[in-house]
Amino acid sequence: MRTSEHSVSISASPEAVWDVYVDPSRIPEWQTGSPSIERAHGRAGEPGSSYVSRRGPGSARTTVLTADRPRRLVTRTRAYLGLEFEVDSLLVPEADGTLLTLRVQTWWPRGLRWLGRVVERAILSSAEASRELGNLKALVEHGAAPA
């Protein structure tokens, strides 16, 4: 298991950040890799809701495990090659907006650990997380993510 943490300050209320962050239909607007969202089930941001995201030939199913609007969201994603990751998202009010902190735990099947580390560096890197959180920040604050 590998754990990483990423944060961004967003000049908007936790409720405004939550509305964009938990909505699967908004994911293509801020996540990298041109994801498409398929088969969304349940009400966005509520425990048990889920969606499938596709990037190229790979797909991943994300399920909401815990939701405490607008403070905390915990999701579990099962992706290609047996990759699993859990994201614990905390939204903390600040004087000028919201601090969104993601704590990500990643698991790879036993036989794929080496390959998993290569894929992690390419897809789940800190640079990629920073880019996505920057896109989310721009989307919430200005209504559009950078091109």
Side-chain angles (χ1 to χ4, degrees), residues 19-49:
D19 288 343
V20 174
Y21 181 66
V22 305
D23 184 350
S25 70
R26 305 294 304 267
I27 288 172
E29 296 176 61
W30 61 273
Q31 285 190 5
T32 60
S34 302
S36 64
I37 304 303
E38 306 170 351
R39 298 189 304 272
H41 297 284
R43 191 168 170 183
E46 296 210 354
S49 63

Side-chain angles (χ1 to χ4, degrees), residues 2 77 82 146:
R2 178 177 180 257
T77 300

Side-chain angles (χ1 to χ4, degrees), residues 73-109:
L73 181 76
V74 180
T75 60
R76 164 82 54 139
T77 300
R78 294 183 177 174
Y80 40 85
L81 300 174
L83 165 67
E84 287 189 43
F85 54 95
E86 191 169 293
V87 179
D88 190 343
S89 309
L90 297 175
L91 293 87
V92 178
E94 295 184 312
D96 60 344
T98 303
L99 176 65
L100 173 61
T101 300
L102 311 180
R103 185 169 190 261
V104 183
Q105 293 183 316
T106 308
W107 297 269
W108 284 95

Side-chain angles (χ1 to χ4, degrees), residues 90-144:
L90 297 175
L91 293 87
V92 178
E94 295 184 312
D96 60 344
T98 303
L99 176 65
L100 173 61
T101 300
L102 311 180
R103 185 169 190 261
V104 183
Q105 293 183 316
T106 308
W107 297 269
W108 284 95
R110 227 184 156 99
L112 294 176
R113 285 196 181 141
W114 180 83
L115 176 61
R117 292 196 199 296
V118 171
V119 173
E120 264 184 279
R121 285 192 181 100
I123 297 173
L124 305 172
S125 69
S126 291
E128 201 68 20
S130 293
R131 195 169 11 262
E132 288 186 350
L133 290 177
N135 290 346
L136 178 64
K137 175 181 174 71
L139 181 61
V140 173
E141 291 178 355
H142 307 293

